[in-house]
Amino acid sequence: MATFLYKLGRLAFRRRHFVALIWVALLTLAGVGAASAPPAGNSSFSIPGTEAQKAFDLLEQRFPGASADGATARVVFKAPSGEKMTDAGNKATVEKTVDELADGSEVASVADPYTGNAVSKDGTIAYASVKYDVSGMELEESTKDALEDAVQQARDAGLTVEIGGDALQAVPETGATEVIGIAVAAVVLVITFGSLVAAGLPLLTALIGVGIGVSSITALASALELGSTTSILAMMIGLAVGIDYALFIVSRYRAELAEGREREEAAGRAVGTAGSAVVFAGLTVVIALVGLAVVNIPMLTKMGIAAAGTVAIAVLIALTMIPALLGYAGRRVKPAGAKGKRLGRSRKGEPKQDQPAGQPKANLGTRWASFVVRRPLAVLLLGVIGLGAAAVPAASLELGLPDDGSQPTSTTQRRAYDLLSEGFGPGFNGPLMVVVDAKGSDAPKDAFTDVEQRIKGLDGVVAVTPPAPNKGGDTATITVVPDSKPSSVQTEDLVHAIRDAGGDIEAKTGAETLVTGSTAMNIDVSQKLNDALVPYLVLVVGLAFLLLIVVFRSILVPLKAALGFLLSVMAALGAVVAVFQWGWLSGLMGVEETGPVMSMMPIFMVGVVFGLAMDYEVFLVTRMREAYVHGEKPNQAVVTGFKHGARVVTAAAVIMMAVFAGFIGSSESMVKMIGFGLAIAVFFDAFVVRMAIVPAVLALLGKKAWWLPKWLDRALPNVDVEGEGLRTAAERGTGPDEDRELVRT
């Protein structure tokens, strides 16, 4: 591996014009594809294998032309203080608005509040339901404008009017904070390298990689039904890993220059050593993201594959474009320690002139590692107890999917949600649709009535509409309004109660009862994600564990890496619960409404954080193993690994945290939560697990950390991540000319 990447790095350095041209051409091609692609249509949210999805599919089959997946809008009216919606003037305004809404070309139907029993008991609030032929993402702007114009006229007449539903669904915005994240990354790179040119290389390559990835996603969005969140998450992860991977290679290049090597040779060795770590770190991230497919939720699978593709591009750019740009930069990228001249140090990191002669002062990483290997047990206990305390809130984790109730109060969707809760009760925002399939029943009408009466007798039910059969008379829908809000445990219990009752009815009448609707779909999604978490962990952690055994040629080091990851991800989940569910620091994070944690959050965090955690494990521990393989004692190898890797890993972690934290400003609650969760998880994993727990465990294990059964050692392929093959070639006295010949062959 190291030898191949060494050749690749030198080739890219020499053929930099060709390499740069290829990547610029790919960026241009992706940009043209994105610009000419049709706008993304409906990103269908199907959940195969769930009862809610089965009922939804049955509705499309038995109620043709009903536009089951069409957009909806609830136009909610509230009368001025002291008036009622039944007053003549207010009623005339509402009826005029309903007539205007019905004129749209994409409108399937509009329900008048006064004929559809949609006026609250106190008469102050009413709503009109608008059904469209197409989904919210496919609605034309003219249709949305007509909806807003009709509502504005009603407002001008003195009514309070808000719009709920998905008809005004907007593409989420990330805000200016992501730019701040990139700016923080730039500052950290400048501090790390002491050079604008060296700092600019990782940023440039990361932006090119993200540009190619996001443009490709945009170009394929319509054909593959990719949602708008897919590109945002791909950008988030692609930026973070793209900067980090390039950072590690540039840092190793400067270290090789400091050893006195020629620039082409230094580029080859940087790609051969740090590039090997980049490949395996990238593989763990790709495995974790592609592994999301085991959940069998198409939207989640597409998000994972798209983000994995962006990571793969980041790896390829780091291995090829970074050495090419280093060739262009020439002497503007200085050896490690060269920036110290301005601070009174020589290029090799020698002491200042007023410093006593002798050994150079140890850097912070060396001093910290030396402290840890002297007090490993105390550091280990402190780290584990600290993460355990942070993980305590995770025991109260409640899962759900965001609805209009989690929107900011500044949005019309949230205000409509609050008005409906005020006028009709909290459960009105999440009605359940019960589908009765009586095709196998001898008396369909009796079956419909039995279901209706059975549901009316259940606890937690406010209202039940009469059965509405289809033209064939073999299927009917019944709408059930709970007395609790959609995301509550009580509503979930009611869904299970209806399904349990449906089993008895089927045994009695032969009619199958199914529960669907957005609320039931959210409940099924949460359950499906919970059921998939353990198999996903086994698959992803198992594959990565095997991969790390090959990289480190050890059993205990990969095991320690996996256990450390579990600690950091549980602590991160605890922090997410504390902020988004309990409301701690919610004002600082811009969380206007606390509630259940998004049901996709745990499994998505497990996937992404595991991949990113292994990045730091690979980059830091490979330097330790490199020192150990080259003859150092175990504890000294730990210190050496920190001497060379701690500064760069710290910079990489700060950059990744800054990039993820930049997405906390998103208008999309899911993106906000993921941005915070990933940022805090990187903090826990990089600074507590990898910087404290890992060296403490390695110090306690000593030589046992690198133990591997002889039979397994013989069976495993030698990937040479440490670059031992390159060192052996150097020891044979291979000069630059011979090395060039080696590259040509």
Side-chain angles (χ1 to χ4, degrees):
M1 171 71 77
T3 304
F4 169 76
L5 293 177
Y6 165 80
K7 295 177 182 179
L8 179 64
R10 293 193 63 168
L11 182 65
F13 187 95
R14 288 200 316 275
R15 307 293 184 187
R16 47 188 171 272
H17 302 307
F18 181 68
V19 172
L21 182 63
I22 289 177
W23 284 112
V24 171
L26 288 175
L27 179 62
T28 303
L29 185 64
V32 170
S36 58
N42 178 31
S43 54
S44 58
F45 188 76
S46 61
I47 314 295
T50 61
E51 179 174 316
Q53 185 64 46
K54 181 180 178 181
F56 185 83
D57 295 339
L58 184 66
L59 283 174
E60 289 191 324
Q61 178 186 345
R62 303 285 176 85
F63 291 82
S67 301
D69 61 344
T72 58
R74 273 183 171 175
V75 181
V76 188
F77 305 88
K78 183 176 182 179
S81 179
E83 299 181 17
K84 293 189 175 183
M85 292 306 304
T86 51
D87 293 347
N90 294 333
K91 185 175 181 180
T93 300
V94 171
E95 289 177 342
K96 180 182 178 182
T97 303
V98 169
D99 291 340
E100 291 178 356
L101 291 172
D103 289 339
S105 59
E106 295 180 309
V107 175
S109 63
V110 180
D112 189 306
Y114 302 103
T115 59
N117 193 25
V119 180
S120 63
K121 290 181 179 179
D122 62 4
T124 60
I125 297 174
Y127 71 91
S129 295
V130 186
K131 183 74 174 176
Y132 294 92
D133 293 322
V134 296
S135 68
M137 296 297 291
E138 295 172 314
L139 279 178
E140 295 180 0
E141 287 301 319
S142 59
T143 301
K144 296 180 181 181
D145 292 341
L147 172 61
E148 292 178 323
D149 290 344
V151 165
Q152 188 57 48
Q153 291 180 24
R155 287 173 180 157
D156 294 340
L159 298 178
T160 299
V161 191
E162 305 295 345
I163 307 170
D166 60 351
L168 295 183
Q169 182 178 356
V171 176
E173 298 175 356
T174 54
T177 49
E178 67 173 280
V179 178
I180 297 174
I182 296 175
V184 171
V187 171
V188 173
L189 287 169
V190 171
I191 294 173
T192 303
F193 291 137
S195 163
L196 289 174
V197 175
L201 296 183
L203 281 176
L204 177 61
T205 54
L207 291 173
I208 291 174
V210 167
I212 294 173
V214 173
S215 296
S216 300
I217 291 170
T218 304
L220 299 172
S222 179
L224 301 181
E225 295 186 349
L226 302 177
S228 55
T229 308
T230 303
S231 59
I232 293 178
L233 294 176
M235 181 192 304
M236 182 191 303
I237 297 171
L239 266 178
V241 301
I243 294 174
D244 278 6
Y245 294 165
L247 165 65
F248 285 113
I249 292 180
V250 173
S251 177
R252 187 60 183 255
Y253 171 76
R254 296 176 71 238
E256 295 293 338
L257 288 180
E259 293 292 328
R261 293 190 173 89
E262 295 295 327
R263 294 187 178 274
E264 183 179 330
E265 175 70 8
R269 287 178 177 269
V271 175
T273 52
S276 297
V278 165
V279 169
F280 283 100
L283 271 176
T284 59
V285 180
V286 169
I287 287 172
L289 290 170
V290 174
L292 291 169
V294 302
V295 184
N296 196 26
I297 295 180
M299 186 187 78
L300 195 59
T301 300
K302 292 173 184 177
M303 287 167 56
I305 292 175
T310 307
V311 172
I313 292 171
V315 171
L316 291 174
I317 283 186
L319 297 177
T320 56
M321 194 166 187
I322 281 292
L325 292 178
L326 289 172
Y328 283 118
R331 297 186 179 277
R332 287 186 289 271
V333 176
K334 301 185 182 300
K339 64 178 181 178
K341 287 181 176 180
R342 299 173 185 173
L343 303 176
R345 293 195 304 261
S346 72
R347 171 175 159 175
K348 295 295 182 181
E350 294 167 356
K352 297 179 182 179
Q353 294 177 359
D354 59 349
Q355 217 174 279
Q359 282 294 106
K361 185 179 179 181
N363 63 23
L364 182 60
T366 302
R367 296 198 300 274
W368 169 250
S370 299
F371 169 78
V372 173
V373 297
R374 288 197 307 269
R375 302 283 188 273
L377 189 58
V379 172
L380 176 61
L381 289 176
L382 187 61
V384 172
I385 292 172
L387 290 178
V392 168
S396 303
L397 178 67
E398 295 178 10
L399 298 177
L401 286 179
D403 54 22
D404 285 348
S406 62
Q407 297 267 14
T409 52
S410 58
T411 63
T412 185
Q413 291 93 336
R414 170 60 187 279
R415 292 196 292 265
Y417 180 98
D418 292 340
L419 284 176
L420 288 171
S421 296
E422 177 188 340
F424 301 92
F428 198 79
N429 283 291
L432 307 175
M433 179 176 287
V434 178
V435 182
V436 185
D437 180 7
K439 197 168 188 178
S441 175
D442 296 331
K445 291 184 179 180
D446 293 340
F448 301 154
T449 303
D450 284 350
V451 173
E452 179 189 3
Q453 295 304 318
R454 220 23 216 281
I455 294 174
K456 284 182 177 179
L458 296 175
D459 294 334
V461 175
V462 171
V464 180
T465 64
N470 64 345
K471 291 182 179 179
D474 58 0
T475 308
T477 59
I478 300 172
T479 300
V480 181
V481 179
D483 65 0
S484 52
K485 64 181 182 179
S487 58
S488 67
V489 176
Q490 292 83 351
T491 301
E492 183 177 349
D493 292 340
L494 176 59
V495 170
H496 292 311
I498 295 173
R499 288 172 174 171
D500 291 341
D504 297 336
I505 294 171
E506 184 174 8
K508 176 182 175 183
T509 66
E512 185 179 13
T513 303
L514 306 170
V515 184
T516 188
S518 60
T519 302
M521 184 73 81
N522 290 350
I523 292 169
D524 287 352
V525 169
S526 298
Q527 185 61 49
K528 192 176 181 69
L529 289 165
N530 283 338
D531 294 342
L533 185 57
V534 173
Y536 176 70
L537 268 173
V538 171
L539 173 69
V540 173
V541 176
L543 287 176
F545 181 77
L546 295 176
L547 186 65
L548 292 178
I549 289 178
V550 174
V551 174
F552 296 126
R553 307 193 77 78
S554 163
I555 298 293
L556 295 179
V557 171
L559 180 61
K560 172 258 319 165
L563 293 176
F565 150 74
L566 291 175
L567 273 174
S568 58
V569 81
M570 288 304 297
L573 275 176
V576 170
V577 170
V579 173
F580 290 89
Q581 188 175 310
W582 291 0
W584 294 4
L585 302 178
S586 57
L588 181 64
M589 298 296 165
V591 180
E592 295 189 15
E593 184 73 19
T594 59
V597 173
M598 183 186 64
S599 55
M600 291 184 186
M601 191 68 189
I603 201 164
F604 192 82
M605 275 189 66
V606 165
V608 177
V609 174
F610 183 80
L612 300 180
M614 294 307 103
D615 280 3
Y616 303 119
E617 181 75 14
V618 170
F619 289 127
L620 193 59
V621 180
T622 48
R623 293 305 296 259
M624 298 178 190
R625 175 164 175 78
E626 186 176 340
Y628 178 76
V629 167
H630 294 156
E632 293 188 7
K633 293 182 179 180
N635 280 9
Q636 184 56 42
V638 171
V639 176
T640 301
F642 267 76
K643 175 184 176 182
H644 294 295
R647 178 185 177 90
V648 179
V649 169
T650 300
V654 172
I655 288 169
M656 197 170 281
M657 288 168 56
V659 172
F660 287 148
F663 288 83
I664 295 175
S666 173
S667 62
E668 177 69 34
S669 59
M670 182 172 74
V671 175
K672 181 191 293 287
M673 190 180 294
I674 289 177
F676 171 79
L678 294 183
I680 198 69
V682 168
F683 171 78
F684 287 143
D685 196 86
F687 294 106
V688 181
V689 175
R690 309 303 152 189
M691 291 290 184
I693 294 178
V694 165
V697 171
L698 291 177
L700 289 171
L701 291 175
K703 289 185 178 180
K704 295 177 183 177
W706 308 107
W707 171 80
L708 187 70
K710 291 183 179 179
W711 64 268
L712 185 56
D713 188 36
R714 290 192 297 269
L716 291 176
N718 184 13
V719 296
D720 190 21
V721 176
E722 303 85 10
E724 180 64 21
L726 302 181
R727 172 179 281 246
T728 303
E731 289 171 352
R732 288 199 305 265
T734 304
D737 294 337
E738 290 88 344
D739 279 337
R740 289 191 183 93
E741 185 61 29
L742 177 65
V743 175
R744 292 191 185 97
T745 58

